[in-house]
Amino acid sequence: MKLEIGNFYVKDIVFGELLSFNDGVLTVNKEEALKFVCEDDRITEADLYIAKPGDKIRMCPVKEAIEPRTRLDGRSLFPGYIGDLAQAGDGVTYALKNCSVLVVGKHWGGFQDGVIDMSGEGQKYTYFGQLNNLVLVADTNEDFEKHEQQKKNDALRRAGHKLAEFIGACLKELTPEDTEVYESEPMIRRGEEVEKLPSVVYVMQPQSQMEAAGYNDLVYGWDTNHMVPTVMNPNEILDGAIVSGSFMPVSSKWSTYDFQNCPNIKALYKEHGKTINFLGVIMSNLNVALEEKERAALYVAQIAKTLGADAAVVAEEGYGNPDADFVGCIVALEDAGVKTVGVTNECTGRDGQSQPLVTLDEKCDAIVSCGNVSEMIELPPMETVLGELEALARDGLSGGWANDEILGSSVREDGSIIMENNSMFCGDQVCGWSPKTMKEF
């Protein structure tokens, strides 16, 4: 497979008469874009905003992030989900870089929704505080789940994915500033010099715990709860084969933007042919029952061994129950003779003294930590709030609370907030963005 991603770097976003990209400026016709979004009659209220680094803007509850892109051959940006099923990972895709479409609930949040600050102390906690963002703030008529802590958010998330494709279409007749090329040869037909290098697989464990439809990550529009571990070409992940779901404590989530730009995959590609032979991706899953977890771990180890992997990198989306899948997978790989590094966050409590993962094993001796989900964060008010800040305290967002006998509510009367890192949208950045470092005291 050969994937070419043509990049256009966004320096600014403005509203104007014509959807266009020129000299680094993305111009969006607001009325036209909103008319497109509201073609889904489940959307009852919608508005568009622009949020750029340095703006005194706080967003909550944030539900999804997508990079605007387009395909030159007319295939859907997310095949099997918002368009016909087709192969991803091959051909030419154009992308608006330094830019995302963010989806924010106008009224209702939940367990899987979070906070983004565009300036101040809070800006550093999420990758999206550094981007130029087109922000869709909307509500739906899906009344049945408004008061549910765990929401599918289907209409809002789907609107964001469609809007990202709608916006990206302005690139079709343009010439990219640069092009990334990702080409992977068949695993058994690689040159002698490459095959002498240590062979490495990347094991991804996307959110797939929910047995009910509509919550989990999707692969080509298919619920990941229904899959068993399988091999995927890394290009497929970078090219829209996977769409983020709507379940998981939000700092632990991988947004669709994270899948489209997965830094761990890009880092392995960069070393391919130099220090490693990057075989590809083993797409695994997260389960609830112990037998299902053990079965998935056996599958992963068998696939890695069959492919001839010398080493593996395992990354989990989430924490808590998924820690058992994560640790079990690492142990199975080590038992199969595959040297393994894990990438995860920790849940060590507000004081940092608790056990970091739900389950541990002495064979997990190479773990990259992306920080503590329970770290306390206190942030001053922002001039502008997009969405409804009260959702952080009212609607069961992970990391926020309605009342604490000592700390009070997560949302104070002056607009300042206190919460756990858990509520920072995709803040742990396990997919490879994380700037955090470990210090020993």
Side-chain angles (χ1 to χ4, degrees):
M1 279 188 174
K2 182 178 181 180
L3 173 64
E4 298 180 47
I5 303 178
N7 294 324
F8 299 78
Y9 294 90
V10 176
K11 299 174 184 175
D12 198 5
I13 305 176
V14 298
F15 290 128
E17 293 186 6
L18 183 67
L19 174 63
S20 62
F21 181 79
N22 186 40
D23 290 334
V25 179
L26 173 63
T27 301
V28 177
N29 182 313
K30 184 175 180 179
E31 291 72 24
E32 180 185 56
L34 286 172
K35 181 179 179 181
F36 173 77
V37 166
C38 291
E39 287 177 2
D40 186 337
D41 58 13
R42 295 177 298 172
I43 304 292
T44 56
E45 299 179 73
D47 208 344
L48 284 175
Y49 300 87
I50 295 165
K52 297 179 287 187
D55 288 348
K56 295 178 179 179
I57 291 176
R58 174 167 293 149
M59 291 169 273
C60 176
V62 184
K63 299 176 180 291
E64 174 64 302
I66 314 102
E67 183 171 79
R69 293 182 174 186
T70 192
R71 285 207 177 92
L72 299 191
D73 60 7
R75 287 178 296 160
S76 169
L77 198 57
F78 302 106
Y81 174 60
I82 60 169
D84 293 338
L85 185 61
Q87 181 69 62
D90 206 21
V92 180
T93 295
Y94 282 177
L96 284 163
K97 310 305 289 187
N98 302 332
C99 171
S100 84
V101 170
L102 295 178
V103 181
V104 179
K106 187 165 186 178
H107 296 298
W108 304 99
F111 177 70
Q112 63 289 310
D113 302 330
V115 175
I116 295 175
D117 276 5
M118 296 306 300
S119 62
E121 174 70 10
Q123 183 185 16
K124 69 183 183 183
Y125 285 99
T126 79
Y127 186 75
F128 303 97
Q130 307 169 43
L131 301 181
N132 296 296
N133 301 297
L134 182 65
V135 186
L136 172 64
V137 181
D139 196 14
T140 79
N141 63 6
E142 296 165 313
D143 294 331
F144 64 93
E145 67 176 17
K146 283 183 177 177
H147 298 283
E148 296 292 330
Q149 187 190 37
Q150 296 171 0
K151 298 175 173 61
K152 297 179 181 180
N153 286 323
D154 182 68
L156 296 181
R157 291 188 299 115
R158 198 175 292 263
H161 293 99
K162 289 180 177 180
L163 180 59
E165 186 171 52
F166 178 85
I167 297 299
C170 70
L171 302 175
K172 283 194 173 180
E173 305 301 322
L174 304 180
T175 302
E177 296 174 50
D178 62 49
T179 301
E180 301 171 50
V181 179
Y182 299 99
E183 188 168 11
S184 57
E185 316 92 330
M187 295 180 193
I188 61 171
R189 298 177 185 171
R190 296 182 175 178
E192 184 179 345
E193 292 304 310
V194 173
E195 292 188 352
K196 286 180 181 178
L197 299 170
S199 296
V200 180
V201 291
Y202 182 44
V203 182
M204 299 183 76
Q205 296 179 309
Q207 169 49 41
S208 46
Q209 286 178 287
M210 297 294 281
E211 294 181 353
Y215 295 99
N216 297 316
D217 295 351
L218 302 176
V219 178
Y220 287 107
W222 195 48
D223 194 314
T224 49
N225 182 260
H226 300 156
M227 67 181 285
V228 294
T230 188
V231 175
M232 288 188 72
N233 190 292
N235 291 7
E236 293 178 279
I237 292 111
L238 297 176
D239 194 33
I242 302 187
V243 169
S244 175
S246 188
F247 174 79
M248 189 52 68
V250 72
S251 72
S252 308
K253 279 180 65 173
W254 296 339
S255 69
T256 298
Y257 186 102
D258 292 320
F259 284 114
Q260 291 173 295
N261 292 280
C262 183
N264 288 338
I265 289 178
K266 291 187 176 184
L268 290 165
Y269 249 129
K270 188 176 180 180
E271 292 303 311
H272 177 67
K274 300 175 184 176
T275 61
I276 63 170
N277 175 15
F278 179 31
L279 295 175
V281 174
I282 299 176
M283 189 60 63
S284 187
N285 52 356
L286 301 170
N287 303 281
V288 177
L290 181 59
E291 182 179 325
E292 294 171 355
K293 296 174 185 293
E294 292 172 343
R295 184 182 297 113
L298 291 174
Y299 261 100
V300 170
Q302 174 271 122
I303 293 171
K305 197 67 176 174
T306 301
L307 295 179
D310 300 303
V313 178
V314 179
E316 68 166 325
E317 181 183 6
Y319 69 93
N321 188 294
D323 291 346
D325 302 78
F326 176 70
V327 170
C329 183
I330 293 174
V331 170
L333 285 163
E334 289 283 350
D335 286 344
V338 180
K339 295 183 182 297
T340 305
V341 173
V343 186
T344 183
N345 53 19
E346 304 176 46
C347 185
T348 54
R350 293 179 183 178
D351 60 1
Q353 299 297 310
S354 299
Q355 180 173 301
L357 303 176
V358 166
T359 181
L360 295 171
D361 192 283
E362 61 184 10
K363 293 174 183 174
C364 299
D365 57 1
I367 302 291
V368 176
S369 171
C370 298
N372 176 17
V373 300
S374 301
E375 178 186 349
M376 291 291 286
I377 297 171
E378 191 167 0
L379 299 172
M382 279 285 175
E383 287 183 4
T384 301
V385 173
L386 300 183
E388 192 170 47
L389 188 57
E390 290 75 12
L392 174 62
R394 184 192 64 213
D395 297 337
L397 273 67
S398 46
W401 54 84
N403 187 52
D404 180 280
E405 8 178 90
I406 298 174
L407 301 172
S409 171
S410 278
V411 180
R412 296 163 174 155
E413 290 185 6
D414 65 354
S416 63
I417 58 177
I418 184 169
M419 63 185 199
E420 295 179 355
N421 174 66
N422 245 328
S423 283
M424 281 297 176
F425 181 76
C426 300
D428 297 325
Q429 306 175 41
V430 174
C431 64
W433 303 110
S434 180
K436 297 176 183 175
T437 56
M438 298 293 292
K439 293 183 180 180
E440 186 173 348
F441 295 93

